[in-house]
Structure formats: structure tokens, C-alpha cells
Amino acid sequence: MPGIGSKGVRVWFENNTLHFKGEEKDRGPFHGARNYSGKFNIPASEYQIDKISAVMNDGVLNIVIPKIDGAL
């Protein structure tokens, strides 16, 4: 998510779906607004949903979703 600061990023889990969205408002006549978003289906029976972590560093969003021990 180049050009998006960590304050402009939101990550949430809802109905077995991990959502992420990054946006930054218009920064002037030569730099337009930036928007990124996506979603992934994550089976709660295989992953530790309560331990999802996300870190934004130099325009890269890193999301970690630990698997449940013994899950396929």
C-alpha cells in the first residue's frame, strides 16, 4: 500500500472473512487519493482468529494469522 500511512489502514475480521482497507485523501494537484482494499475467506475452524496481527511498515501491510495446532 505505497503512499498510505499506518493511520489510514484498517484490518478487521467478520463472518469468516478477513478485510483490509487503506486510504489516503487527496494530497494536492499532483498527487491524487490512494485506495487499496481486499478480503480473504478464512475458516475459523483452522485459524486462531483472536490472534490475528497486522503491521504496516514502509508501505507493506503484513498480516499474520496463526493456524490452530493439528488443523489441515
Side-chain angles (χ1 to χ4, degrees):
M1 295 185 182
I4 306 289
S6 60
K7 291 183 180 183
V9 176
R10 184 172 165 227
V11 178
W12 71 99
F13 186 81
E14 181 177 53
N15 297 325
N16 288 336
T17 304
L18 178 72
H19 301 263
F20 62 91
K21 184 174 186 177
E23 59 187 347
E24 186 171 293
K25 302 206 186 280
D26 193 354
R27 300 178 300 155
F30 301 108
H31 303 282
R34 296 176 187 226
N35 295 296
Y36 302 91
S37 64
K39 60 184 177 178
F40 297 95
N41 290 328
I42 306 292
S45 61
E46 296 181 25
Y47 294 91
Q48 298 177 31
I49 302 306
D50 59 331
K51 294 188 179 180
I52 293 174
S53 65
V55 176
M56 183 74 161
N57 189 15
D58 293 331
V60 177
L61 177 61
N62 186 17
I63 301 172
V64 177
I65 310 166
K67 283 190 93 167
I68 294 173
D69 291 336
L72 297 175

